[in-house]
Amino acid sequence: MQEFTYTANPARVLFGSGTRQSLTDEMTKLGTNRAMVITSAHKRDYINQIMLDLGEYCVAHFDGAEMHTPVHVTHMALEYISDKKIDCLIAIGGGSTTGLTKAIALRTGLPQIILPTTYAGSELTPIIGETVNGIKTTQSSQKVLPETVIYDVDLTLSLPVTDSITSGINALAHAVEALYAENKNPVTSTLAEKAILSFYHALPRIFSHPLDIQARTTALYATFLSGMCLGSVGMSLHHKLCHTLGGSFGLPHAATHCVILPYVIQFNAPASDILNQLGRTLNSSSLAFAIFELIRTCNGPTRLRDIGMKKADLNKAAELAISNAYYNPRSFTKNDIHSLLNDAFSGIIPDASL
Ligand code: NAD
């Protein structure tokens, strides 16, 4: 018998097409009727429509969410709500918008309803990263876990193809790292495998037909599954590297995940049979090669040098990535990380035979 511990995070999840129309019902279920809607500055038709549908349930709109949750933006939003008797936060957007909503919840205890419009997966995790003076720190707190998540596939249709691919690989990376997490368990491994296979099949279809509702639905469902993995087991080398590259060198979040993932899979494969099994399931002898080909087929970024990394910074990045101890299925030295980053810098094709 296999013994295991699985921690589920409490969240009510609605999934489908048109589910955004349940928003006022969901607010009522939470005993709330005065929401602040939080978005980024980009104008989108669906945001206006949702606010119209909310009617008097929407008493404020803060549209200043930014990547990496700068704390000065959180303080602006807090000032905004102080005199409006807000009793609920509604995020409509990607991980940046969810990040700001979590930061407000952390300081106010207000309940959150999240409508994700990318595949980042932050809506299902107790994790929050915040940036002060360019330094990003991450903490885990049950206070930031959203009460309700409304996945509405219609909101993802406008996500540009490039963002859809990088965001999808970002989510796929949560699932990959869940497979070899220190606290992995059969529940999260089942979710992770399903998420990986779903993204693998959905992303090329989204690439060629961005409005394919079935492919969008599969990708959003995979987002839900990989978000549950991210919210319940620990991440390893891949997330640490991406956090370092984004936080210290300003690289774009999802694109960084996209470039780095095949190289971390290649590095960890000798220590994780499940990665090799999955590679075979995808008719490739190497999962690293299969994911690299997936990204390349979908015109996703495959080289660090194309997304803003300077070769001269690779050494510093390797140093930072090994500066704190954390679990990874295969131990590594600074040289290993430097060599991995070097390959990712130039987009060396991962070895298909590993
Ligand atoms: P994002 O939220 O910044 O969105 C990327 C871009 O896509 C933005 O320009 C946004 O306006 C646009 N966009 C979003 N949805 C759209 C849509 N449906 N149509 C058209 N354009 C759309 O990026 P992201 O990758 O979703 O999130 C990245 C942030 O989330 C980072 O700060 C990262 O650290 C954080 N994150 C946190 C967790 C966590 O568990 N705490 C998990 C994943 C990501």
Side-chain angles (χ1 to χ4, degrees):
M1 187 180 84
Q2 184 183 10
E3 292 187 358
F4 64 89
T5 303
Y6 167 63
T7 308
N9 290 318
R12 183 176 155 80
V13 174
L14 279 70
F15 188 96
S17 163
T19 42
R20 63 192 178 283
Q21 277 144 20
S22 308
L23 201 40
T24 48
D25 286 350
E26 292 305 315
M27 281 181 66
T28 306
K29 282 196 175 73
L30 292 172
T32 65
N33 58 13
R34 293 180 64 81
M36 175 156 89
V37 170
I38 298 159
T39 66
S40 69
H42 301 92
K43 304 276 172 266
R44 314 236 180 266
D45 290 346
Y46 56 70
I47 294 173
N48 295 336
Q49 190 56 53
I50 289 172
M51 289 200 304
L52 275 176
D53 293 346
L54 278 170
E56 60 191 18
Y57 280 70
C58 173
V59 295
H61 176 202
F62 184 83
D63 65 356
E66 286 177 23
M67 184 80 91
H68 302 310
T69 327
V71 168
H72 72 269
V73 173
T74 304
H75 288 151
M76 275 163 52
L78 287 169
E79 269 175 35
Y80 213 74
I81 62 174
S82 58
D83 58 347
K84 294 196 175 64
K85 297 200 173 79
I86 304 289
D87 60 12
C88 180
L89 304 169
I90 297 177
I92 312 170
S96 301
T97 305
T98 304
L100 173 59
T101 310
K102 285 174 156 181
I104 300 170
L106 181 68
R107 290 159 176 86
T108 60
L110 286 170
Q112 308 168 70
I113 303 178
I114 313 287
L115 288 86
T117 64
T118 71
Y119 307 133
S122 173
E123 63 279 358
L124 291 172
T125 81
I127 307 159
I128 174 161
E130 297 186 281
T131 308
V132 183
N133 298 330
I135 305 212
K136 187 166 180 179
T137 47
T138 300
Q139 59 174 300
S140 182
S141 164
Q142 295 297 309
K143 283 190 199 163
V144 306
L145 261 181
E147 277 68 9
T148 307
V149 180
I150 301 182
Y151 287 107
D152 188 332
V153 70
D154 304 352
L155 304 184
T156 64
L157 294 177
S158 57
L159 188 62
V161 169
T162 308
D163 293 321
S164 302
I165 304 308
T166 56
S167 190
I169 299 292
N170 178 191
L172 198 153
H174 308 329
V176 165
E177 294 235 285
L179 288 176
Y180 51 65
E182 192 170 22
N183 53 348
K184 66 178 183 289
N185 58 71
V187 180
T188 49
S189 296
T190 303
L191 302 177
E193 281 186 48
K194 174 76 182 167
I196 293 166
L197 298 180
S198 299
F199 275 124
Y200 187 80
H201 296 297
L203 292 181
R205 285 165 57 201
I206 291 173
F207 176 65
S208 48
H209 297 100
L211 298 181
D212 180 336
I213 194 85
Q214 197 48 56
R216 288 285 187 182
T217 304
T218 302
L220 195 61
Y221 182 58
T223 299
F224 167 43
L225 302 181
S226 58
M228 286 205 285
C229 294
L230 180 66
S232 94
V233 296
M235 298 287 113
S236 304
L237 177 62
H238 173 80
H239 281 73
K240 175 69 183 174
L241 275 180
C242 293
H243 192 240
T244 302
L245 294 168
S248 302
F249 302 95
L251 266 51
H253 178 81
T256 307
H257 276 268
C258 202
V259 174
I260 292 294
L261 186 62
Y263 300 99
V264 172
I265 295 176
Q266 175 167 257
F267 182 78
N268 280 335
S272 176
D273 279 347
I274 182 74
L275 297 181
N276 302 313
Q277 277 171 36
L278 263 174
R280 285 191 289 277
T281 305
L282 298 178
N283 291 326
S284 172
S285 52
S286 145
L287 182 63
F289 183 71
I291 300 297
F292 185 85
E293 279 302 292
L294 169 69
I295 296 167
R296 201 159 61 164
T297 310
C298 297
N299 263 353
T302 54
R303 303 190 300 197
L304 282 180
R305 72 172 185 213
D306 293 341
I307 60 166
M309 190 70 189
K310 295 193 189 75
K311 191 159 179 104
D313 284 335
L314 293 182
N315 194 43
K316 178 78 186 156
E319 238 165 53
L320 287 172
I322 61 153
S323 58
N324 294 318
Y326 51 91
Y327 174 80
N328 190 62
R330 183 175 168 198
S331 58
F332 50 80
T333 62
K334 185 184 152 197
N335 276 349
D336 293 326
I337 302 304
H338 193 266
S339 147
L340 185 161
L341 289 175
N342 239 324
D343 286 356
F345 184 81
S346 310
I348 305 287
I349 299 174
D351 191 338
S353 66
L354 279 178

